[in-house]
Amino acid sequence: MSVNTDRYQTAAARYFEAWNATEPEALAKAVAAAWTADGSYTDPLTDVAGHEGIAAVIAGAHEQFPGFVFRPLGAVDGHHDTARFAWELVNEADGSAPVAGFDVITLDAEGRIRSVLGFLDRVPAGA
């Protein structure tokens, strides 16, 4: 069990590393480390595939919420090639978390993300 648990936790850690990268070069590197070349990201607001598309969505989130970081909420849970985890978007200055949700990821044999299905549980009005 620990091998699979480590696999899911490692994938989630790389995912958060990508979502928290703000410099273009670091973001591109983190996305490439976390996702397969044809990996996808889908949530209620967007549906993209490929490293460039994913990086653009992440950069857009940082433009909309400057000074915020994505943090996991609770443990990563998984089975087979699928894992899920909750997260929140936290303002580093005051600790507020106006956005929260959970994601379901599928992994390839090497533990890289093939797809993300994101769900938004808390979103501020007008976002």
Side-chain angles (χ1 to χ4, degrees):
M1 183 171 154
S2 66
V3 171
N4 283 340
T5 300
D6 289 347
R7 180 176 182 233
Y8 307 134
Q9 290 174 346
T10 298
R14 283 190 297 229
Y15 177 85
F16 284 107
E17 183 177 340
W19 275 96
N20 287 321
T22 56
E23 298 301 319
E25 186 175 315
L27 175 56
K29 183 177 177 181
V31 167
W35 272 268
T36 60
D38 62 346
S40 64
Y41 177 86
T42 303
D43 71 17
L45 306 174
T46 194
D47 184 11
V48 297
H51 292 171
E52 288 184 15
I54 294 165
V57 167
I58 294 170
H62 286 286
E63 287 175 18
Q64 186 174 3
F65 295 96
F68 284 73
V69 294
F70 286 87
R71 293 204 176 129
L73 284 175
V76 178
D77 181 31
H79 61 82
H80 296 84
D81 290 333
T82 305
R84 66 179 177 167
F85 49 85
W87 53 266
E88 63 184 351
L89 185 60
V90 179
N91 183 323
E92 290 187 297
D94 67 14
S96 64
V99 183
F102 78 92
D103 293 341
V104 177
I105 61 175
T106 57
L107 305 175
D108 71 0
E110 287 78 44
R112 291 175 64 212
I113 299 169
R114 289 190 318 222
S115 68
V116 176
L117 296 176
F119 295 84
L120 301 173
D121 297 326
R122 182 174 61 236
V123 179

